[in-house]
Amino acid sequence: MGTLWVIRLWGDFDAHSIHVVERVSYEVLQSGIAPVVFDLRQVTFANTALLNHLIALRLHRPVGLVGADRLMRLMIEVSGAALPVFPDLAAARSALSADEAPEA
């Protein structure tokens, strides 16, 4: 299986705190081309600031989510964002590593 970046978030994420996620994401973008999974299991609140960041990051590399709560799943569905939600990191690794495989 291929390399996968995992960014574990905890706490609240809104327009005032998203800069932390943006900084870490930028560092990951500079470190290689591997897909990124955001582990949201410890996130207590997230609004569209986080969703917008995830959508923007998706333009640069495959992005997946683990542990998205009901509200995040609803925001993804309503926005039509192409952000897959996985039941666990193993499922995310398996699916996103397949994205790295060359097309036949």
Side-chain angles (χ1 to χ4, degrees):
M1 291 198 193
T3 302
L4 181 76
W5 283 98
V6 177
I7 300 175
R8 289 184 173 91
L9 303 179
W10 62 91
D12 296 349
F13 293 94
D14 58 19
H16 299 290
S17 57
I18 195 66
H19 62 88
V20 174
V21 180
E22 291 171 340
R23 186 182 76 241
V24 171
S25 297
Y26 177 76
E27 291 174 14
V28 167
L29 285 174
Q30 300 303 309
S31 298
I33 61 170
V36 180
V37 171
F38 286 84
D39 184 341
L40 307 178
R41 291 178 286 189
Q42 299 299 315
V43 171
T44 52
F45 173 79
N47 68 11
T48 56
L50 179 59
L51 179 63
N52 290 337
H53 174 72
L54 298 172
I55 292 169
L57 186 60
R58 177 77 171 126
L59 298 174
H60 301 282
R61 78 172 55 150
V63 173
L65 307 175
V66 171
D69 67 9
R70 185 182 60 80
L71 179 57
M72 179 59 76
R73 287 174 184 258
L74 181 60
M75 287 191 298
I76 291 168
E77 182 180 334
V78 169
S79 71
L83 292 169
V85 177
F86 300 100
D88 54 41
L89 289 173
R93 180 180 306 280
S94 177
L96 293 175
S97 293
D99 284 351
E100 291 182 321
E103 294 183 19

